[in-house]
Amino acid sequence: PAAFDWKDPLGANNLFTEDELAIAETAEAYCQERMLPRLLDAYRNEDFDRKILEEMGELGLLGATIQGYGCAGVSSVASGLITRAVERVDSGYRSGYSVQSSLVMGGIEEHGTQELKDKYLPEMAKGKMLGCFGLTEPNHGSDPGSMETVAKPHPSKKGYYSLSGAKTWITNSPISDLFLVWAKLESTGKIRGFVIERSQCPPGTLETPPIKNKNGLRASITGMIQLDECPVPEENMFPEVEGLRGPFSCLNNARYGIAWGTMGALEDSISRTRDYALNRKQFKGNPIAKYQLVQKKLADATTDAAYGILAATQVGRLKDEGKAAPEMISMIKRQNCDRALVNARILQEVFGGNAVSDEYGIGRHVANLFVTQTYEGQSDIHALILGRAITGIQAFC
Ligand code: TGC
Ligand code: FAD
């Protein structure tokens, strides 16, 4: 019989092409050799180094599924493998990466005019220009359809809209050059997407205060977007897409990426726990890995990680064939985030008191995975999306 590999328990590597495996290897090498050594300081000091995205750009990892504009044009599975490699290091770095690649570059590529694509995608692909995605507001998180941010013709600048409102909990906002903001057009009441360039905003019309002292995702920078009659050129509004379909089409790609990423965080938790359990001795010099209760924790977590990778691979393949329903993405986003969080929390117990030290990494994964379960649609919201698809009855309100 074939040998069992605890790092790839169900042989998922057999499902990837040679190109996909090569991309994964490049991403893993970069993440382990150059990203990981900076992580502990970044997490302690809540300090996101924007150079990381520039370095990922140099390796062709940003906006990786996009064809042209200096992007690699790889498969959805390959992009998932990149995301998994990044989140094996830290969910915060994956957040910064996902927002740049899936939410902003993906949004501009899918809905922007040719001029917007030509102007912004090549610089974003190099990581020279950073972006953020403003959907959530202080009073509207799970229910973005009720947003209050408004766009109306600018009272004094012809050819411009004026945007006013506030977005909160926005990854990358304090350091972003470009803002994809969703606002209601006053004349129609319909949600539209606007691309705002920081350098073009008059003083006081765009502010991006950071949200500090987070107890998770500390290696990622988060903030608000405050718009006060901010002038935005008419040509920077996405021309066709209106309603929630706009932001949700971008979210489909990012939620898919999170399903892969959280499996990376879980795999790193498993690997750290295995090492610890093999080395830590209690009772007559036995490694704690010898005890059945510890082995069960590892068996449960390894099983969930293996299933999660297979499900994400399947949805990735369907996505590239145009056969992935958004509900499939809700299913893997919810399941993988939930299982990663539950398992990492249980594995944390294996470290005993040392789990409390940030040197061991496990507590950081647990804190981060709570955030992944919350953003891009909290898990219960995805349960309701699935419930609606199963019963035909919506249960949101
Ligand atoms: P609903 O009636 O369901 O839909 C309204 C319109 O949107 C369309 N639609 C989709 N289109 C494409 N893909 C999807 N996944 C879609 N889901 C819905 C739908 O067809 C409809 O189109 P149309 O043309 O008929 O108008 O709208 P609802 O208001 O009832 O939605 C309810 C609900 C709960 C499902 C939705 O609001 C929801 O998903 N809420 C969660 C909010 C969320 O995910 N926020 C994410 C913010 S961004 C973020 O967190 C980034 S973190 C990044 C990081 O750091 O990694
Ligand atoms: P609420 O909507 O207030 O929900 C609170 C609780 O109530 C949840 O458990 C929810 O499931 C439950 N609930 C709500 N409605 C229902 C219902 N109808 N039925 C059952 N349960 C319900 N947003 C962006 O736009 N861009 C970003 O880049 C971004 N980055 C983020 C980074 C971080 C670190 C964090 C923490 C959040 C980020 N978000 C971002 C915001 C994120 O998407 C929201 O926090 C999330 O959508 C939940 O919204 P909320 O926090 O307002 O919670």
Side-chain angles (χ1 to χ4, degrees):
F4 180 76
D5 176 4
W6 65 269
K7 290 184 176 160
D8 183 21
L10 295 175
N13 282 341
N14 294 293
L15 302 175
F16 308 142
T17 65
E18 275 181 27
D19 281 354
E20 287 165 349
L21 289 169
I23 292 162
E25 202 176 301
T26 303
E28 290 286 352
Y30 168 73
C31 293
Q32 292 299 313
E33 288 160 23
R34 295 179 62 195
M35 218 182 234
L36 184 59
R38 289 135 130 171
L39 173 69
L40 197 53
D41 277 347
Y43 198 85
R44 283 180 182 167
N45 302 319
E46 281 193 277
D47 178 25
F48 178 78
D49 181 358
R50 64 176 284 160
K51 253 188 126 261
I52 284 180
L53 287 175
E54 214 171 309
E55 290 164 6
M56 293 188 79
E58 281 162 21
L59 292 171
L61 300 174
L62 298 180
T65 54
I66 295 174
Q67 302 280 350
Y69 310 100
C71 302
V74 303
S75 69
S76 290
V77 167
S79 83
L81 290 166
I82 298 169
T83 311
R84 177 193 190 188
V86 177
E87 197 153 351
R88 199 186 297 287
V89 176
D90 190 78
S91 307
Y93 286 155
R94 198 269 308 132
S95 257
Y97 168 74
S98 293
V99 168
Q100 175 84 356
S101 291
S102 303
L103 290 177
V104 185
M105 293 179 73
I108 293 173
E109 200 261 340
E110 193 169 344
H111 301 297
T113 58
Q114 194 57 51
E115 288 72 27
L116 289 173
K117 293 181 205 187
D118 291 339
K119 188 168 177 194
Y120 296 124
L121 290 180
E123 288 303 290
M124 293 196 81
K126 289 185 203 137
K128 301 262 186 228
M129 193 168 227
L130 294 197
C132 68
F133 182 88
L135 181 63
T136 304
E137 300 189 349
N139 296 324
H140 310 284
S142 298
D143 177 22
S146 303
M147 69 174 61
E148 295 165 54
T149 301
V150 68
K152 53 187 173 189
H154 199 279
S156 57
K157 287 187 89 162
K158 205 166 157 12
Y160 282 75
Y161 286 108
S162 162
L163 264 71
S164 295
K167 302 286 177 182
T168 194
W169 286 114
I170 306 303
T171 301
N172 289 352
S173 83
I175 56 166
S176 282
D177 308 296
L178 209 62
F179 299 77
L180 172 47
V181 168
W182 301 92
K184 275 187 183 157
L185 202 54
E186 194 185 48
S187 54
T188 61
K190 293 270 170 67
I191 294 170
R192 305 294 295 249
F194 295 84
V195 178
I196 306 175
E197 205 176 321
R198 189 194 288 270
S199 64
Q200 293 180 350
C201 298
T205 60
L206 170 78
E207 301 288 346
T208 56
I211 299 173
K212 300 297 277 183
N213 305 321
K214 302 198 298 284
N215 58 19
L217 226 73
R218 292 172 60 83
S220 156
I221 180 157
T222 318
M224 293 189 74
I225 305 173
Q226 295 166 340
L227 298 159
D228 185 6
E229 299 193 354
C230 182
V232 182
E234 280 172 6
E235 60 270 21
N236 281 26
M237 181 175 84
F238 286 165
E240 276 163 23
V241 74
E242 54 175 28
L244 279 175
R245 201 166 57 77
F248 284 154
S249 58
C250 309
L251 283 164
N252 287 337
N253 293 329
R255 289 167 172 176
Y256 164 77
I258 292 177
W260 276 96
T262 47
M263 292 299 94
L266 177 56
E267 287 169 329
D268 188 58
S269 303
I270 293 166
S271 170
R272 286 171 184 268
T273 307
R274 178 180 175 276
D275 284 351
Y276 188 85
L278 287 169
N279 288 305
R280 174 72 177 169
K281 298 192 173 66
Q282 288 295 287
F283 294 100
K284 299 195 174 166
N286 289 320
I288 57 174
K290 181 176 187 302
Y291 300 121
Q292 293 167 4
L293 294 174
V294 171
Q295 291 197 2
K296 180 174 185 301
K297 289 175 175 141
L298 284 163
D300 288 344
T302 304
T303 304
D304 280 338
Y307 272 59
I309 290 294
L310 290 187
T313 305
Q314 164 71 354
V315 173
R317 294 279 179 244
L318 292 177
K319 209 165 171 296
D320 287 347
E321 291 169 22
K323 294 181 187 165
E327 289 80 2
M328 295 179 187
I329 294 171
S330 282
M331 184 179 279
I332 59 169
K333 194 275 179 189
R334 170 175 181 252
Q335 180 74 1
N336 287 8
C337 290
D338 285 2
R339 296 322 299 166
L341 175 59
V342 165
N343 282 294
R345 173 62 195 85
I346 291 171
L347 292 175
Q348 191 177 24
E349 293 163 7
V350 175
F351 293 75
N354 283 333
V356 178
S357 159
D358 66 4
E359 303 273 351
Y360 289 83
I362 187 74
R364 175 174 54 79
H365 279 313
V366 173
N368 285 341
L369 286 165
F370 168 77
V371 180
T372 70
Q373 190 203 42
T374 302
Y375 62 27
E376 306 223 3
Q378 202 272 344
S379 275
D380 287 348
I381 297 297
H382 286 292
L384 298 183
I385 291 172
L386 289 166
R388 177 174 63 182
I390 294 163
T391 65
I393 304 168
Q394 75 95 343
F396 298 106
C397 32

